[in-house]
Amino acid sequence: GDLIHFQWGGSDANAQGNNGNGRAGTDRSNLVQISGRGVVKPIPIEEHTLFFDGTASADSEEGKEGRELVKKFAFLNQHAYAEKAGNACPTTVAEAQDQDDDDDDNCEQLNAAPAYFDGGLVEMRTSGEFHIASTRNNDYTNRSHKAAIIVHGRVFRWWEVLLMVAGSVAAAFGIVMIGTAAYAL
């Protein structure tokens, strides 16, 4: 399939008074799959179709890799960055709710993540229209960080089809000739 290189940059120096979520003066973005542009809540992992088939068993290779990719894009590997800074992301809902938007380890607001994120090359294996959003910047009515990724199936050019047909005919002819020669012996 085709590959997409996902990467984006935020900021650690937004002008003060720039209304937003998370630590003051910062901007962060993540990527989660949503069911449509009118929705802000990420879909359950079992309904995922962008990076992998969410119905795949969590024990299968596809299920493991897919779930890790979803986690990487949703949380931006920030647990590792929090640990490097001597912090830790909350492990319970209660801990997360007790945090202020400005807390460095407020991982719900992506505060522990760096401004730049490089998700690397991702193979798009499924055709379709996939809706995505950033959870940090969708809390206000004046913001809507959403998009759609449209993946089309491979369409061959006329000369590619001609080459495939010619190659198939040549291969079939070669097999017949080899068979005939073997029979003649």
Side-chain angles (χ1 to χ4, degrees):
D2 288 338
L3 301 171
I4 296 178
H5 184 187
F6 289 93
Q7 64 179 331
W8 54 81
S11 175
D12 285 331
N14 266 351
Q16 298 304 315
N18 188 4
N19 196 18
N21 300 79
R23 192 172 60 238
T26 66
D27 178 40
R28 299 289 184 269
S29 296
N30 63 345
L31 185 152
V32 296
Q33 188 174 358
I34 55 177
S35 61
R37 289 205 177 183
V39 180
V40 259
K41 187 177 178 185
I43 61 172
I45 194 79
E46 298 80 22
E47 296 176 21
H48 238 273
T49 54
L50 173 64
F51 295 134
F52 80 114
D53 178 2
T55 62
S57 167
D59 297 327
S60 70
E61 191 70 27
E62 178 187 8
K64 288 177 186 176
E65 288 178 6
R67 282 168 173 74
E68 281 302 311
L69 202 54
V70 169
K71 184 177 172 183
K72 175 181 175 180
F73 279 82
F75 299 108
L76 311 177
N77 299 324
Q78 67 181 326
H79 288 81
Y81 292 106
E83 287 176 15
K84 283 182 187 176
N87 296 319
C89 291
T91 56
T92 67
V93 173
E95 284 180 28
Q97 289 174 342
D98 285 342
Q99 291 188 312
D100 184 81
D101 270 4
D102 284 328
D103 289 345
D104 286 340
D105 58 351
N106 185 336
C107 295
E108 278 191 0
Q109 295 296 339
L110 306 174
N111 287 350
Y116 173 74
F117 176 75
D118 183 357
L121 287 172
V122 177
E123 183 179 4
M124 306 311 292
R125 299 177 182 168
T126 307
S127 296
E129 184 171 343
F130 308 96
H131 298 279
I132 57 172
S134 170
T135 58
R136 177 167 166 175
N137 293 319
N138 271 317
D139 285 348
Y140 295 107
T141 58
N142 66 337
R143 295 194 178 156
S144 187
H145 290 194
K146 298 176 185 174
I149 296 175
I150 301 171
V151 180
H152 296 283
R154 174 96 161 94
V155 177
F156 294 102
R157 294 179 179 92
W158 68 267
W159 57 269
E160 291 174 312
V161 173
L162 182 65
L163 283 175
M164 287 187 280
V165 169
S168 297
V169 169
F173 181 73
I175 291 170
V176 168
M177 294 305 289
I178 291 171
T180 304
Y183 181 74
L185 293 175

